[in-house]
Amino acid sequence: MNAKVALAESAITLPRGRVSDYFELTKPRVVLMVLVTTLAGFYLGGRAGFDITLALNLLAGTALAAGGTLALNEYVERDTDAMMDRTRNRPLPDMRMRPAEALTFGVLATVAGFLYLTFATNLLCATVTAAITIIYLGVYTPLKRYTWMCNIVGAIPGALPPVAGWAAARGALSWEPIVLFAIMFLWQLPHTMAVARLYRTDYERAGIHLLPEDNIRGGNASNPIVIAGSLGLIAIGIIPTMLGYAGIPYLVIASAMGVWMLAFGITMVRSPGNSKAARRLLLASIVYLPIVLLVLVLDRV
């Protein structure tokens, strides 16, 4: 009797485990951020009311395309993932999934996402989404093995989701999504540099160049980028209010959050060997983005 129960439990557990592995392959936390920023762009781009059907179609297609793209990224980087503590337990380096399975899943999900967006939203939205995949997989991912400047390139696909959302709502682009792109782009500079500092040893072990070497005085060439990105957030953050697209509450909160990010950025660059400083900047960046986007959405004029 016990053997029968054990067999039944294993029959139930195995499929759940496979589903969990495929779900993990898509980097769900990253996909969630992509969906949130895409939806923010969609809402800000809407003219008359909120089209719930179009929004759901946008989210479905984006989830497929983003999840498939990230699965393909894990397929490409499976060897380096196996060398790092933070990634060695992923489905591919942990050998819970065959590379061919991940490749097939990634290609099918990505293509399905593009097609879904083309027919359920519009061609412009699908084109922006395709550009995200092409730059992320074709430029940023291979560049990580050669230069830390890949962080700047990688900020481009990371900044495009709200542009895709705007395109889905309007079918055209204007200055507003460019501002959204700039906010997302600049936000990623201190964010990714904090990640690079925090996991520097892991990345170096795998031969991934996300951070330049420290100079003889203990400084780092990435320091100006951290400060410039944080200062840029403060400057770009005021534009929606200056152009009459958002109100004073947004201006106050966005400016305060930008100064907060800058303070953590300065602390990190002045303490190059302090992992706590890098972690604080990383956490500050994670808090910054949803708050600023939420206030922008709620305070839209």
Side-chain angles (χ1 to χ4, degrees):
M1 185 67 177
N2 290 337
K4 290 182 179 180
V5 172
L7 183 60
E9 288 178 348
S10 65
I12 294 172
T13 303
L14 182 58
R16 287 180 180 175
R18 295 295 289 165
V19 171
S20 176
D21 285 341
Y22 277 110
F23 184 65
E24 184 181 349
L25 194 68
T26 65
K27 299 183 182 178
R29 286 184 293 181
V30 179
V31 171
L32 178 60
M33 187 183 76
V34 170
L35 293 178
V36 168
T37 55
T38 300
L39 188 61
F42 176 81
Y43 178 83
L44 293 169
R47 285 195 176 95
F50 185 79
D51 189 333
I52 185 66
T53 300
L54 184 57
L56 291 174
N57 283 328
L58 171 64
L59 292 178
T62 301
L64 281 170
T69 297
L70 291 165
L72 290 173
N73 171 258
E74 289 207 25
Y75 167 78
V76 172
E77 296 191 322
R78 62 192 185 278
D79 293 335
T80 53
D81 279 351
M83 301 178 192
M84 296 189 290
D85 293 336
R86 63 188 294 265
T87 56
R88 64 178 49 170
N89 291 322
R90 287 175 175 174
L92 286 171
D94 197 41
M95 294 186 289
R96 302 194 307 271
M97 180 182 294
R98 295 193 302 265
E101 293 176 298
L103 177 61
T104 301
F105 171 78
V107 169
L108 290 177
T110 304
V111 172
F114 294 157
L115 293 176
Y116 193 95
L117 289 171
T118 299
F119 293 104
T121 60
N122 56 58
L123 182 59
L124 179 59
C125 175
T127 300
V128 175
T129 303
I132 294 173
T133 296
I134 292 170
I135 299 172
Y136 185 78
L137 290 178
V139 184
Y140 167 67
T141 297
L143 205 58
K144 289 162 68 175
R145 295 175 179 267
Y146 300 100
T147 173
W148 66 275
M149 296 297 287
C150 64
N151 291 291
I152 297 176
V153 175
I156 297 173
L160 283 173
V163 179
W166 184 284
R170 293 278 183 100
L173 298 177
S174 56
W175 68 264
E176 293 96 334
I178 296 175
V179 174
L180 293 175
F181 174 89
I183 291 173
M184 288 289 298
F185 181 88
L186 292 168
W187 168 81
Q188 286 177 93
L189 299 182
H191 174 80
T192 55
M193 291 305 174
V195 173
R197 289 281 180 93
L198 197 57
Y199 299 105
R200 181 172 192 163
T201 303
D202 237 8
Y203 287 124
E204 288 178 348
R205 185 187 304 119
I208 295 176
H209 301 278
L210 292 190
L211 197 68
E213 294 290 333
D214 292 331
N215 59 41
I216 57 175
R217 295 182 178 179
N220 194 279
S222 68
N223 290 346
I225 291 180
V226 173
I227 303 303
S230 301
L231 287 171
L233 276 178
I234 299 172
I236 294 295
I238 70 174
I239 291 181
T241 299
M242 298 296 291
L243 296 180
Y245 194 70
I248 297 301
Y250 162 79
L251 175 63
V252 172
I253 293 174
S255 298
M257 295 295 292
V259 171
W260 190 55
M261 281 274 291
L262 176 61
F264 281 110
I266 292 172
T267 300
M268 188 184 78
V269 302
R270 293 179 66 181
S271 309
N274 190 339
S275 61
K276 290 183 179 179
R279 190 176 298 277
R280 290 192 191 102
L281 177 58
L282 176 60
L283 292 175
S285 68
I286 292 172
V287 172
Y288 173 94
L289 190 62
I291 289 179
V292 169
L293 288 180
L294 178 62
V295 175
L296 179 59
V297 165
L298 295 177
D299 198 39
R300 187 181 73 168
V301 175

